[in-house]
Amino acid sequence: MKKLDVSTLEYQELNEQLRDLTEDVELDGCCGQRFIAAGFSGRNIVINGVPGNALGAYLNGSEITVNGNAQDAVGDTMNNGRIIIHGSIGDAAGYAMRGGEIYVKGDAGYRAGIHMKEYKEKRPVIVIGGKCGSFLGEYQAGGIIIVLGLTEDDKKIVSNFACTGMHGGKVYLRSSAEGINFPKNVTTSTASEEDLADINEYIAEFCKQFGYDMKTILSVPFTKIEPDSKNPYKQMYVAN
């Protein structure tokens, strides 16, 4: 794997160098450069530091590993591949994501999974090891979001307005979800054995990447959230 010290590079120069390379690459000293690996396929990229906004935007089959935190819009509109964050992420992770997987060891900011969608065999997945800010799964149209709540603090596993406008896909919270106010356009239930079997491979991958024990994670009941109508907007905006 080729190593690059990118600590003195502006984002344009960094991305030009990445496009000119054909081999896998490890970036040292990353500090806020945007659009890293946008649209890439068939590459492995390791980032030491904190990449800027839109890491892996439009990703089409590469694997990106970040040994640190990442900023906003990780995996924006990504189509395929995998992004692994050994830290926390900012807002709007997986915006309009339509395929691939994002794994985050720590917390996520606002609007994780906003406008996620799926088509036939293309099903995007986001796994958050910690907790999430407001508007998780806003307008979600497909895919799976899993929040494990492993952060040791007093915050709720997800903040306000989770699943607002959700009309497809599923959200799983490793929690009873007590005290969380969900909108009328969704239903909540305790995840069944069949539900857990559907997400088992993603939890296993999370444990593999970050060194967690799967039995411990599965020892706590999960809550499943999904749309209760094909027309959630009517429930939100039309008077009865």
Side-chain angles (χ1 to χ4, degrees), residues 120-180:
K120 294 185 177 180
E121 76 284 355
K122 299 282 287 185
R123 182 169 72 165
V125 176
I126 300 176
V127 184
I128 306 295
K131 299 174 182 178
C132 293
S134 298
F135 296 102
L136 173 72
E138 184 182 26
Y139 302 118
Q140 184 179 349
I144 294 174
I145 302 173
I146 303 168
V147 185
L148 300 176
L150 299 173
T151 308
E152 294 182 1
D153 58 36
D154 295 330
K155 294 179 180 178
K156 293 185 293 185
I157 191 169
V158 60
S159 193
N160 301 320
F161 312 115
C163 305
T164 300
M166 180 184 188
H167 54 284
K170 298 175 183 177
V171 172
Y172 290 92
L173 305 180
R174 183 177 173 268
S175 165
S176 67
E178 183 178 353
I180 299 174

Side-chain angles (χ1 to χ4, degrees), residues 4 26 38 51 58 60 76 89 93 98 109 117 120 129 131 141 166 185 193 212 220 224 228 231 239:
L4 290 177
E26 182 173 357
Y58 309 103
N60 198 34
D76 183 344
I89 53 175
R98 56 198 183 194
K117 60 201 72 177
K120 294 185 177 180
K131 299 174 182 178
M166 180 184 188
N185 55 284
E193 290 187 7
Y212 284 93
V220 175
K224 179 179 70 172
D228 74 343
N231 188 11

Side-chain angles (χ1 to χ4, degrees), residues 2 7 9 17 37-39 42 56 83 90 92 115 132 140 144 148 155 192 195 197-198 204 230:
K2 184 178 180 63
S7 58
L9 299 182
Q17 289 193 25
I83 301 176
H115 285 300
C132 293
Q140 184 179 349
I144 294 174
L148 300 176
K155 294 179 180 178
S192 66
D195 293 325
D198 189 39
K230 293 183 179 179

Side-chain angles (χ1 to χ4, degrees), residues 164-209:
T164 300
M166 180 184 188
H167 54 284
K170 298 175 183 177
V171 172
Y172 290 92
L173 305 180
R174 183 177 173 268
S175 165
S176 67
E178 183 178 353
I180 299 174
N181 294 319
F182 292 100
K184 295 179 180 180
N185 55 284
V186 302
T187 61
T188 63
S189 61
T190 301
S192 66
E193 290 187 7
E194 183 179 356
D195 293 325
L196 294 177
D198 189 39
I199 62 174
N200 183 75
E201 65 178 290
Y202 309 117
I203 295 175
E205 184 62 31
F206 175 90
C207 292
K208 175 184 174 182
Q209 293 294 339

Side-chain angles (χ1 to χ4, degrees), residues 25 34 40 47 56 70 77 88 96 106 119 123 134 215 220:
V25 62
R34 296 172 285 167
F40 276 28
I47 300 174
T77 324
S88 296
Y119 181 68
R123 182 169 72 165
S134 298
K215 288 184 179 179
V220 175

